[in-house]
Amino acid sequence: MATADIKYRLNAQLADNTVTVDNKNEKIAVVVSAGTADKQRLISEIMEVNPGLERETVEAVINLEQRVLKKLILTGFRVNTGLYSVAAKLTGVVEGNVWDS
């Protein structure tokens, strides 16, 4: 089966759209979280897809990817992995020459 044939389904709830004030009947869909998946869950999911890989190899590749992503992001690159896009963002204010995060 080709990857394009796989269908995924998100669970969502309707909520009032607080951005628009002129239409009180307007709703937005808010995704209901299925929980949190940490690095160990990610490794386990990869192992399910390809059980021929060594767990240590998968973990090493994920660690390396995270290290390289962190380096690129923290040196000012916008990173697009094809699944998500990420960039560093500064928050806070600068008074004089002092940044208050």
Side-chain angles (χ1 to χ4, degrees), residues 16 24 36 40-41 43 45 47 50 57 59 68-69 71-72 75 86 90-92 95 97:
D16 292 333
K24 298 290 183 191
T36 302
Q40 293 308 311
R41 171 70 184 264
I43 292 168
E45 293 284 335
M47 297 298 297
N50 190 341
T57 303
E59 190 165 2
V68 170
L69 285 172
K71 174 189 168 199
L72 291 170
T75 54
V86 63
L90 299 176
T91 59
E95 286 190 38
N97 289 332

Side-chain angles (χ1 to χ4, degrees), residues 49-93:
V49 172
N50 190 341
L53 295 171
E54 295 288 335
R55 187 173 190 87
E56 293 79 16
T57 303
V58 174
E59 190 165 2
V61 169
I62 290 173
N63 289 337
L64 181 59
E65 180 194 32
Q66 289 179 343
R67 203 167 93 201
V68 170
L69 285 172
K70 183 163 97 174
K71 174 189 168 199
L72 291 170
I73 295 162
L74 294 179
T75 54
F77 285 89
R78 173 177 295 280
V79 177
N80 183 341
T81 68
L83 180 60
Y84 60 88
S85 178
V86 63
K89 178 181 177 183
L90 299 176
T91 59
V93 294

Side-chain angles (χ1 to χ4, degrees), residues 11-17 25-32:
N11 185 10
Q13 292 180 334
L14 294 179
D16 292 333
N17 185 353
N25 294 323
E26 189 173 274
K27 303 286 185 186
I28 60 171
V30 179
V31 175
V32 176

